[in-house]
Amino acid sequence: MATSSIINTLGAGSGIDVNSLAQSLVDAEKTPKKERIEAKIAKSEAKITGYSAVKYALSELKTAFGKLNDASDFSSIQPSNTQPSAFGVSASATAEAGSYSIEVLQTALAQRTASSTFADRANTLNGGSAFTLNLSIGGVDQGAIDVTTATPAGMVSAINGAKLGVTAQLINTGSGYNVVITGETGADQSFSLTSDDGTGTALADVAFDTSLQTATDASFKVNGLTVSRSSNTVNDVIDGVTLELYTSTSGAARLDLNRDTAGIKENIQGLVAAYNDFEETLKILGDRASEVEEFGGVLAGESLLQSVRTQVRGMITSNSSTPGTTIKAARDVGLSIDRFGKLTLDETKLDTALQNNFGEVSTMFSAGNNQSIYSPAAAGLAGSAINSIEKMLLSTGLIDTQSKSATTQIAKYKDEMTALDDRMEKLMTRY
């Protein structure tokens, strides 16, 4: 307090503001050093923004490759039939375009058999003692079903709990209760069910001898050839096509499998757009003269940009890990990089490839399967690209490593700023 008074007195007597003079001397030394540190912090923060921009562009590119990564992305067959109420159709990526005549003669049926009639669902059977039911399917013994609750309801629970290929339902007809047993579809799934009171004798009041429906195979014609199957879901007659049989057709129906490549072309165009956005992002980040706010030129001179650009360009220009005989790489479907680094698409060449070598296009991009990106098997051009981008985006990858380094530098610069403030405070005190 005394020192302050002396200074104030001196200032008053000399006409000089000693406090202002001291502050000016401190500021003259501090300001340029502070500005240099702030500039370093701002530059490092800008770099972190730049690294985030690179990661975002790579993520968008990964998303675009992801739409060409699975064989299901090339399921371009659109089926149609003239009698959809009689049968349904679905097509996978292996289906080929074409037309078929389909005539459903008979759908597959499951055997359905009813028991004798019971007065009540809780009727006591076998004098209340446990008994067994013996099931045979297609002439093959399936073993005994233990009925521990000797009632119609207990019998239903035991049959369903055994899970031996038949199901049971308790039906109230209004004049009593019947247990209805239903097997699986197909003639070879016919069954018989008998009771055993524990002595080898059938229960007098438990019999399954009322036939409600006979087990039969489905019968249908494909292009005039008669085919039979035990199920109404048929996926082994026309390659890549699954038929769901509902009921008999009225005469022959026409099934058309038409190739629709519009969605595939749209996904490839999306890849082109994502690649060019990625390339534009890198150009802005590396251009010192860029006027783009926030990250224009913030990574100018950084070797990271060229490293990432080279890796991504190789994803487009290299041969696929699953090449075909004719379609070996992206260039064979019309994708190419011009002298400005822009990815272009020759749609005429793409249309020709899809029309003449569709299977190879699918395999080149997707390896012809829906495998996980973590599978060690060859993944095709798109799958390999996704794997490479995944590695680039890892927290241990080059981009994050550089970003973490910049964050560490900022911490150091802030420490320098704190130290500078401390020195200047002490200098002010001395002045």
Side-chain angles (χ1 to χ4, degrees):
M1 184 69 71
T3 302
S4 177
S5 298
I6 293 171
I7 291 175
N8 288 335
T9 301
L10 287 173
S14 63
I16 298 174
D17 186 343
V18 176
N19 283 332
S20 296
L21 177 60
Q23 186 64 57
S24 296
L25 292 172
V26 170
D27 289 345
E29 183 171 346
K30 178 180 180 180
T31 299
K33 294 178 179 179
K34 179 181 179 182
E35 289 177 347
R36 282 196 295 272
I37 296 174
E38 288 176 339
K40 290 178 181 179
I41 292 175
K43 184 176 181 180
S44 294
E45 289 176 340
K47 282 187 176 182
I48 293 173
T49 300
Y51 297 138
S52 295
V54 174
K55 291 183 69 173
Y56 176 78
L58 283 172
S59 295
E60 291 295 292
L61 195 57
K62 175 187 168 185
T63 299
F65 275 117
K67 295 180 180 179
L68 298 165
N69 180 47
D70 291 333
S72 57
D73 296 322
F74 293 85
S75 299
S76 65
I77 289 292
Q78 298 297 321
S80 65
N81 76 78
T82 57
Q83 295 189 44
S85 61
F87 65 94
V89 187
S90 60
S92 70
T94 59
E96 295 291 338
S99 295
Y100 299 85
S101 170
I102 305 292
E103 185 177 0
V104 181
L105 305 174
Q106 165 72 52
T107 57
L109 299 176
Q111 178 181 336
R112 189 169 290 135
T113 301
S115 70
S116 47
T117 302
F118 306 103
D120 190 84
R121 60 185 298 118
N123 262 30
T124 299
L125 305 176
N126 197 35
S129 299
F131 61 94
T132 60
L133 296 172
N134 299 310
L135 176 67
S136 173
I137 299 178
V140 178
D141 182 22
Q142 303 298 309
I145 300 172
D146 294 323
V147 182
T148 56
T149 301
T151 64
M155 192 162 51
V156 168
S157 296
I159 294 170
N160 291 333
K163 300 184 184 301
L164 293 179
V166 296
T167 58
Q169 296 169 312
L170 189 61
I171 307 295
N172 181 1
T173 65
S175 56
Y177 288 81
N178 295 90
V179 176
V180 175
I181 310 297
T182 304
E184 296 180 355
T185 60
D188 60 355
Q189 295 298 308
S190 60
F191 64 85
S192 64
L193 190 64
T194 58
S195 62
D196 185 337
D197 65 2
T199 66
T201 303
L203 276 69
D205 52 354
V206 176
F208 296 91
D209 51 13
T210 302
S211 177
L212 303 177
Q213 182 172 280
T214 302
T216 58
D217 288 337
S219 178
F220 56 100
K221 291 183 179 181
V222 178
N223 288 349
L225 297 174
T226 301
V227 181
S228 64
R229 291 292 185 272
S230 62
S231 172
N232 289 314
T233 300
V234 182
N235 56 17
D236 60 351
V237 175
I238 303 173
D239 285 345
V241 175
T242 298
L243 301 175
E244 290 287 350
L245 310 182
Y246 306 140
T247 188
S248 300
T249 55
S250 176
R254 179 184 174 87
L255 169 62
D256 291 316
L257 302 176
N258 300 311
R259 181 78 69 190
D260 180 9
T261 58
I264 296 170
K265 289 180 66 176
E266 183 178 339
N267 288 340
I268 293 176
Q269 290 165 345
L271 175 62
V272 171
Y275 181 93
N276 289 333
D277 286 346
F278 161 81
E279 180 63 27
E280 183 64 21
T281 297
L282 264 58
K283 284 182 178 179
I284 292 172
L285 291 169
D287 182 7
R288 287 188 173 87
S290 173
E291 297 181 357
V292 176
E293 293 183 7
E294 293 188 32
F295 61 87
V298 297
L299 297 182
E302 292 278 325
S303 60
L304 170 83
L305 293 183
Q306 189 55 41
S307 174
V308 172
R309 177 182 281 115
T310 299
Q311 290 182 65
V312 172
R313 182 169 294 190
M315 298 173 192
I316 298 294
T317 58
S318 299
N319 279 3
S320 169
S321 58
T322 54
T325 303
T326 303
I327 309 298
K328 303 177 183 293
R331 60 181 174 273
D332 297 319
V333 297
L335 290 169
S336 61
I337 298 175
D338 65 20
R339 62 191 182 91
F340 300 108
K342 184 178 181 180
L343 183 61
T344 62
L345 174 62
D346 182 338
E347 293 197 16
T348 299
K349 191 170 184 178
L350 174 60
D351 288 339
T352 300
L354 290 173
Q355 180 176 349
N356 299 333
N357 302 99
F358 183 85
E360 288 195 8
V361 173
S362 172
T363 301
M364 186 274 290
F365 275 112
S366 70
N369 55 43
N370 296 327
Q371 66 187 354
S372 164
I373 62 171
Y374 303 107
S375 170
L381 185 143
S384 297
I386 290 174
N387 288 332
S388 296
I389 293 174
E390 278 277 328
K391 292 176 182 177
M392 294 166 72
L393 295 176
L394 287 174
S395 59
T396 54
L398 179 60
I399 301 172
D400 262 18
T401 299
Q402 295 284 67
S403 183
K404 289 173 183 175
S405 176
T407 300
T408 301
Q409 284 298 112
I410 290 174
K412 290 180 179 179
Y413 295 146
K414 288 183 177 180
D415 288 342
E416 288 181 21
M417 186 70 80
T418 300
L420 176 64
D421 288 338
D422 290 343
R423 290 199 309 274
M424 292 302 100
E425 185 177 344
K426 291 176 182 177
L427 182 59
M428 180 67 178
T429 301
R430 289 201 301 274
Y431 283 149

